[in-house]
Amino acid sequence: MQYTERIQKLESEGAYVVLAKAKELERKGKSIIHLQIGEPDFDTPKNIIDAAIKAMQSGQTHYAPSAGVPEAREAAAEYLSKTRGITITPEQTVIMPGAKPFIYCGVTALVNEGDEVIVPNPGYPPYRSVVKFVGGKPVSLHLREESDFRFKIDEFRSLITPKTKMVIINSPGNPTGGILQMEDLEAIYFEAKKHDLWVLSDEIYSRMLYGDQKFYSIASIPGAMERTICMDGMSKTYAMTGWRLGFAAMPKKLAEYFFTLAINNFSTTTTFSQWGMIEGLRGPQDAVDKMIAEFTKRREVIINGLNAIEGITCKKPLGAFYAFPNITGTGLTSQEFADLMLEEGGVACLSGTAFGEYGEGYIRFSYANSIENINEALKRISNVLAKRKASVAK
């Protein structure tokens, strides 16, 4: 049987590969602490669940428009306008089953075969995967620890060629937790406008901030929305990963193409879940505030714990809920470290290379787990490395 070259270019996502391995080890009786998956371990707030149930009971169980329930588009436009400090209309706003479809649809609608797309590296794997799928070329922009995993603007400029069609940005970033500052975004927009580039801005962690950190969106720069897809969603902020709800703002003409892509792919986003989304965006935010407060505590525990282990150093992430420690001092490659921790320590984590070749020397830990489990994971990591050091010394 023959398969297309296109489908063979698609890559899997490391978190799900490791999850499958970890589950198999659990079935064999091994204790596993899951620090690999980017999923809040909190339940969806009750007011959101109640709103969705009420919608089902009132008959909201039929097809919705491909762009989303009108009231949900209005709520998303209001939310984006308020949080980005600009005016977004419902006509510019699209609802999809999760934020990830906006990556696929954006690249599909805007990138031709042979076009180049600048992607952050280390960065979220679907960026480069989807670009390759459509016949484009992902061009890696190295995010460096010494630069707090921000764009180095001179390097960004050097990567732009006549074939460049798009730049993808992600702030706060996965896997690094880095945040782009306003001067970064202004410089990126200046080059995007100068070279007529599209910007896909993945802002799914926009509420996941710590201390006095502020979130900045490239969409807030005057004129930027003429060439920007500003995407967000419910999964992280509202602990709604299983609901599959994303929303984005973009130029109205591009939104119309997204409607067509939706019709030809999944038809529509689940109707009653969108009423839960409306309640989430417009209702009380107490549950979100409590979740961020708990992530703040966990961040302290895992960062301090990692820095106390010989061979590991870790900067404090400014956003999201991932630690991205440098493990070069252990003498292990990223994949060796991740395999060792899963198989011997029972700690599931991701090799930095799951996020691109510039992730070598790093590991991603998700601290979307209890402080008790994080402390136990730290103990296991320390013990495994100490045991390995002792065996090497013999």
Side-chain angles (χ1 to χ4, degrees):
M1 298 294 289
Q2 295 292 318
Y3 299 94
T4 65
E5 291 182 15
R6 182 188 304 112
I7 197 65
Q8 295 176 64
K9 292 177 182 177
L10 275 179
E11 301 173 3
S12 185
E13 193 173 334
Y16 297 103
V17 174
V18 174
L19 177 62
K21 291 180 180 178
K23 291 292 186 183
E24 181 60 29
L25 287 172
E26 283 181 318
R27 279 191 287 271
K28 294 177 180 178
K30 189 172 182 65
S31 168
I32 302 292
I33 298 175
H34 293 271
L35 301 183
Q36 85 283 5
I37 200 78
E39 178 176 38
D41 58 319
F42 302 91
D43 291 331
T44 301
K46 186 176 183 300
N47 62 308
I48 296 175
I49 294 173
D50 289 345
I53 292 172
K54 183 179 178 181
M56 281 189 279
Q57 292 174 334
S58 63
Q60 298 292 339
T61 57
H62 304 279
Y63 283 132
S66 61
V69 171
E71 292 86 347
R73 294 176 71 191
E74 289 172 4
E78 288 171 10
Y79 178 85
L80 289 170
S81 297
K82 180 180 178 181
T83 55
R84 275 64 175 181
I86 53 175
T87 300
I88 297 292
T89 66
E91 291 74 26
Q92 291 175 268
T93 310
V94 183
I95 312 297
M96 285 193 166
K100 191 178 288 186
F102 290 109
I103 302 170
Y104 177 85
C105 291
V107 172
T108 300
L110 300 170
V111 177
N112 288 309
E113 188 169 352
D115 286 345
E116 296 177 354
V117 178
I118 297 174
V119 299
N121 186 340
Y124 189 45
Y127 302 149
R128 63 178 184 270
S129 179
V130 174
V131 170
K132 289 193 293 184
F133 178 73
V134 302
K137 178 184 177 183
V139 177
S140 292
L141 177 62
H142 191 173
L143 303 185
R144 293 177 169 85
E145 182 180 359
E146 59 268 27
S147 302
D148 295 324
F149 300 111
R150 290 162 59 180
F151 273 38
K152 293 190 75 172
I153 298 302
D154 286 344
E155 185 172 349
F156 168 60
R157 290 192 188 102
S158 75
L159 296 177
I160 299 172
T161 75
K163 292 184 177 181
T164 307
K165 188 66 171 291
M166 175 186 284
V167 55
I168 298 177
I169 59 179
N170 175 213
S171 178
N174 173 15
T176 67
I179 291 179
L180 295 176
Q181 301 300 318
M182 182 51 78
E183 58 262 36
D184 303 325
L185 298 171
E186 288 173 341
I188 292 167
Y189 172 63
F190 177 84
E191 297 299 328
K193 185 177 181 181
K194 178 181 177 181
H195 297 280
D196 195 23
L197 309 180
W198 283 94
V199 179
L200 175 60
S201 185
D202 183 349
E203 302 175 3
I204 193 70
Y205 298 100
S206 60
R207 297 275 292 276
M208 302 284 176
L209 305 168
Y210 303 103
D212 58 358
Q213 287 299 317
K214 292 183 179 180
F215 167 70
Y216 301 100
S217 172
I218 197 167
S220 67
I221 300 173
M225 278 308 302
E226 295 174 4
R227 61 181 66 251
T228 297
I229 301 169
C230 175
M231 53 179 274
D232 205 330
M234 305 299 287
S235 290
K236 314 300 183 180
T237 302
Y238 296 93
M240 295 173 67
T241 52
W243 294 63
R244 308 315 304 135
L245 283 166
F247 53 91
M250 63 198 71
K252 185 177 177 182
K253 179 63 177 178
L254 181 58
E256 292 171 359
Y257 283 124
F258 273 49
F259 306 161
T260 307
L261 279 165
I263 290 168
N264 282 276
N265 187 1
F266 52 82
S267 296
T268 180
T269 304
T270 306
T271 305
F272 53 82
S273 68
Q274 293 183 62
W275 290 93
M277 172 182 156
I278 294 167
E279 172 61 25
L281 296 178
R282 290 178 172 168
Q285 303 297 300
D286 310 53
V288 176
D289 295 337
K290 288 179 181 177
M291 184 167 62
I292 301 302
E294 182 60 26
F295 279 139
T296 301
K297 295 176 186 176
R298 295 173 181 183
R299 181 183 72 142
E300 294 298 311
V301 171
I302 195 167
I303 301 304
N304 291 339
L306 287 169
N307 280 316
I309 298 173
E310 185 179 354
I312 298 177
T313 60
C314 190
K315 281 195 168 186
K316 276 189 179 180
L318 304 179
F321 44 69
Y322 307 112
F324 199 59
N326 186 320
I327 53 92
T328 53
T330 66
L332 296 165
T333 68
S334 293
Q335 194 60 58
E336 288 170 344
F337 186 101
D339 290 342
L340 185 67
M341 291 307 150
L342 179 61
E343 293 162 11
E344 294 193 21
V347 177
C349 55
L350 295 184
S351 166
T353 53
F355 302 93
E357 68 273 23
Y358 295 134
E360 181 56 68
Y362 296 87
I363 290 290
R364 194 193 80 171
F365 293 104
S366 166
Y367 48 90
N369 207 322
S370 69
I371 288 177
E372 179 184 4
N373 282 339
I374 290 170
N375 277 322
E376 175 61 24
L378 290 166
K379 186 188 302 181
R380 294 183 184 187
I381 294 166
S382 181
N383 289 342
V384 168
L385 290 177
K387 181 180 177 182
R388 178 181 179 275
K389 183 179 179 181
S391 66
V392 170
K394 287 182 180 179

